[in-house]
Structure formats: C-alpha cells, structure tokens
Amino acid sequence: MSISLEIKEIKYEPFGNCVKITNGIIAVVVTIDFGPRIIHFGFCDEDNLLYSNVHSLHVASSEDTEGGKIFSCSGGHRLWLNLERADSTVTPDNTPVFYTILPGGVRFNRPKDETASVESGFEIMMGDDAADFMILHTAKNCSKETKVCGLM
C-alpha cells in the first residue's frame, strides 16, 4: 500500500516553526525559524534518533555581545563547512529559513551569511515506500575570494 508524501508546517516545541516531511513510515522535521537543521528523524510515532538540545537558545537577543550573532548548539543535523574556522564553521544560524516544496521533497536555504559570504542549504528527498531519505547539501561562495572548504 503506497502512502503519498505529506509535507506541512508544524510547531515543534521548543524549536518553534518547522516543516515535517513524512511518508507514513518515517518522519523528518526541519527548523525554519532558524537553521535549517534537521531536528528530528525517526520512524513515525517513535523516538527521535537525533540529539536535540532543548535548553539551547535558538533566537539571538539584542543583549548579545556581538549584536545578536551567537552560535547555539541546538543539536540535530546541519551543514558544517570544513576547514574548521570560527568565521565559517560555527556561524550563527539564527535567521528564518526559506523553503520550497519539490516533487518528492523540500529544499531549505538560509540567507547569505555576511561573515562567511556563503549561501548554504539542503534538500530532503523521500520516497513513498522507503524507510530512508536523501539529503543533498549545497554551499555557494558569494565572495570574490577563493575559499577552500568541504562539506561535513
């Protein structure tokens, strides 16, 4: 019996607005108030297989020492740029995420990071009768400088 893909916005506390993608077998939840981060993955109605830090700050406040640009480890899965550098690897992901529904999945993009001059995001693709999904990561150099990095 084939169950079609269901994609909908949900509240996933304490992480706020998220997009849930499910085929009736597995479910993936991606943050859109910040991130994007895959904050939940698991079989439907079962435990989350990813770590999530429910005590983490997700939205920077005006009281932050660097003008609201802090990195918080919310857990889940996010794109890390390699080589490990503070200006590109642990950049804050506290801004809202843009997403587009695709045939068989969803594309998530964060706004261009002015510090690292990189636009990044990922696509989640899921089949109707599968217990797995595919993540396609993207990173675009928007600066005039050559950047040596990889995806982690």
Side-chain angles (χ1 to χ4, degrees):
M1 179 173 95
S2 177
I3 299 173
S4 64
L5 203 59
E6 180 182 13
I7 301 168
K8 66 180 178 178
E9 279 194 36
I10 64 167
K11 291 279 190 192
Y12 188 76
E13 296 305 334
F15 301 104
N17 293 311
C18 295
V19 172
K20 180 178 181 181
I21 308 159
T22 183
N23 62 4
I25 301 168
I26 58 172
V28 175
V29 177
V30 179
T31 60
I32 57 172
D33 283 344
F34 66 97
R37 288 175 185 256
I38 301 171
I39 206 69
H40 176 99
F41 167 69
F43 289 98
C44 291
D45 301 321
E46 303 248 348
D47 291 338
N48 185 6
L49 298 175
L50 300 177
Y51 168 79
S52 59
N53 183 358
V54 297
H55 303 292
S56 173
L57 295 173
H58 312 295
V59 179
S61 72
S62 60
E63 299 173 8
D64 297 323
T65 57
E66 296 181 34
K69 294 189 175 188
I70 60 168
F71 173 77
S72 65
C73 188
S74 302
H77 169 83
R78 79 170 216 152
L79 175 65
W80 283 78
L81 295 175
N82 183 9
L83 304 166
E84 294 278 339
R85 293 180 13 186
D87 68 340
S88 60
T89 303
V90 291
T91 56
D93 57 356
N94 299 327
T95 53
V97 173
F98 306 103
Y99 73 93
T100 306
I101 297 175
L102 307 169
V106 182
R107 175 183 301 127
F108 298 90
N109 290 97
R110 62 185 284 204
K112 183 174 89 171
D113 184 315
E114 296 301 327
T115 306
S117 299
V118 173
E119 288 181 17
S120 64
F122 54 78
E123 291 179 14
I124 304 252
M125 304 305 284
M126 185 183 298
D128 286 346
D129 296 319
D132 60 1
F133 67 100
M134 180 176 67
I135 307 170
L136 174 64
H137 289 281
T138 58
K140 177 182 175 184
N141 180 2
C142 297
S143 74
K144 294 180 181 180
E145 299 175 16
T146 300
K147 299 212 182 266
V148 178
C149 67
L151 305 177
M152 294 177 64

